[in-house]
Amino acid sequence: MFRNEQSSRLRSSVIETGRRLAGAVTLALLSGCQAPAPESPEPVPTPVGSDTAPAPKDTRPVENPPAMPGPGPSTPVDTATAPPPPAADGSSPPPPAADAAPPTDAGSSPPPPVEAGDTPAHRPINVDWAAGMLHSIKFKPSEADPGASRRDETQTALVDTRVAPRGKLVVTLSGVGGGPGPLNVAAFVAGLGFHAFAVAYENSVNPSGQNDPKFFGDMRFEQFDGMDRTSAITVSRPDCVEVRVGKALAFLASKNPAGDWGYFLDASGNVRWSDVIFMGHSHGATSAAAYAKLKRVWRAISLAGPRDTRPVEASWLTMPSATPIERYFGFTAVGDAQHGDHIKAMEAMKYVGQLTDVAGAMPPFGGSHRLKHAGGHGDSAACDRFRDACRYMLGVQ
C-alpha cells in the first residue's frame, strides 16, 4: 500500500512538470510570432540658424502617405533677355554695348528722375522688347513734314531695344556742309540705350570769315528756330531744327511704335527739350552749345568745339542760357588747328572745371567739363576710341 501511494505521487509530479514545460514552450512560441513594435521616426533636424524647434515625434502608423507633387506651371520666359532674332536680311544684329544697362522688364520703364526746371514725362516710356533689335529708320524731312524743302536729305533714327532705354534723345549735328550725322556717334549712343536722331539742317555757312560778333548767334539761332535774323541764310520754320525734331518724333511714333519715340513729346505734342541732348561735331559742336542757350536741354556736348571766337568773339557766348552751365561739355584735340579757339570759347562760357587730358585718366576726370585729347579735329567724334570720355559727357556711369 505504501508503495502504491509513492507511485501515485510520482506520477502526479511528472504530469505537473510536463504541463509547466508545455506552457513555457507554448508561451515562447507565441512570443516569437508577434510583430515587432513600430520604430519611432527620426526627429526632423532644425535648420541652421532657425528659431523653430523640431516637430514632436509622431508614432502613429502612416496610412496614406502624401502624394509626390506633380509638375506645376512652366516658368514664364523673360522675353526681355531672350537672344535677339536675326535681322530682316538674315544677318545677326550687332551686339549692344558691353556697359549698356540690361532691360528690367518686357515693357514700360518708369521715367528717369526729373530735376527742378525740367519738363517731366507725362507717362512711362514703353519700348517694345519682344523682338530685341537695333531699329534703324531712314527718312527725309519731307516725309515727316510736306512743308520741308531745303536740305531734304536722308535722316537716320536709331533705337536699340536690346538694352534698357535711358529716356533721353540724342540729336546729332554734323559739321559745315555735312549730311545728317555723325552716324558713328548716333550708333554709339544708341548702343548705350539712348534714342538717336541725326537731323538734316542748314549748316552750309561757315561764320568764321566775318567780323560781326552778333552774326554768329543770329545765324545759329535762325538754324534752330527759323526766325529771320540774318540775310546770310534762309531758314523757314519747316526747315529749322526745332520743327524738324518735333515732326520727326511724331513721324517715328507712327512709323516705329516699338521705339516709343512719342515719349519725348508732351501731352500736347510738343518736344520735351529737357530730355534732349544736342551732340555735335565741328560746326555742329558750336551749334549744339548755341541751341542750348535757347532751350533747356539735358546736355550740350561739343566734339571739337565750341568755337565762334575767330576772328572776333561771338556775343552769344556770354548771353544768358536756358540750360544750366553744368550741362555743357567740350571735347577738343591738341592737334586740332582750332584747339585754341575751343579753349577760348569754353572759358568765355565759364565751363565747369579746368582743361583736363583724358589720356591715362578715368571718369569723372576731376569733375571737369573741359576735356582734351592728343588727336586731331576728326578724332574728337571717335567715341568708339574715346569711350570713357563720351560716356562721361553723356552722363553714363
Side-chain angles (χ1 to χ4, degrees), residues 29-128:
L29 291 172
L30 290 173
S31 299
C33 292
Q34 288 180 348
E39 295 181 2
S40 300
E42 291 294 325
V44 179
T46 305
V48 177
S50 172
D51 294 331
T52 305
K57 297 179 182 179
D58 186 354
T59 59
R60 295 174 298 175
V62 178
E63 296 180 359
N64 295 310
M68 295 298 292
S74 59
T75 303
V77 177
D78 184 359
T79 57
T81 57
D89 59 1
S91 62
S92 298
D99 54 359
T104 55
D105 55 37
S108 63
S109 297
V114 178
E115 296 184 17
D118 292 344
T119 303
H122 67 284
R123 61 169 177 80
I125 193 167
N126 191 27
V127 172
D128 183 5

Side-chain angles (χ1 to χ4, degrees), residues 84 92-98 160 162-163 191:
S92 298
D160 195 334
R162 296 168 297 181
V163 294

Side-chain angles (χ1 to χ4, degrees), residues 237-330:
R237 283 288 288 167
D239 295 330
C240 72
V241 172
E242 181 180 21
V243 172
R244 286 193 173 181
V245 170
K247 293 291 185 179
L249 290 172
F251 174 82
L252 290 165
S254 174
K255 188 75 171 178
N256 180 231
D260 192 17
W261 297 86
Y263 172 77
F264 300 103
L265 300 173
D266 63 19
S268 300
N270 300 311
V271 179
R272 292 189 305 102
W273 293 104
S274 54
D275 272 343
V276 173
I277 300 169
F278 285 126
M279 191 169 187
H281 176 250
S282 191
H283 179 87
T286 308
S287 291
Y291 299 168
K293 290 280 189 171
L294 301 179
K295 296 290 184 182
R296 182 184 175 93
V297 295
W298 197 67
R299 288 283 194 281
I301 301 174
S302 300
L303 307 174
R307 197 184 181 195
D308 282 0
T309 54
R310 183 181 296 270
V312 293
E313 186 175 301
S315 56
W316 73 264
L317 292 171
T318 54
M319 69 177 280
S321 176
T323 300
I325 193 59
E326 294 80 11
R327 298 184 180 187
Y328 286 82
F329 292 80

Side-chain angles (χ1 to χ4, degrees), residues 324-330 346-347 349-356 365-371 392:
I325 193 59
E326 294 80 11
R327 298 184 180 187
Y328 286 82
F329 292 80
M346 285 187 272
E347 180 60 30
M349 294 182 67
K350 306 301 180 186
Y351 275 29
V352 174
Q354 301 299 316
L355 192 63
T356 302
F365 304 110
S368 179
H369 293 192
R370 312 184 197 191
L371 304 180
Y392 166 68

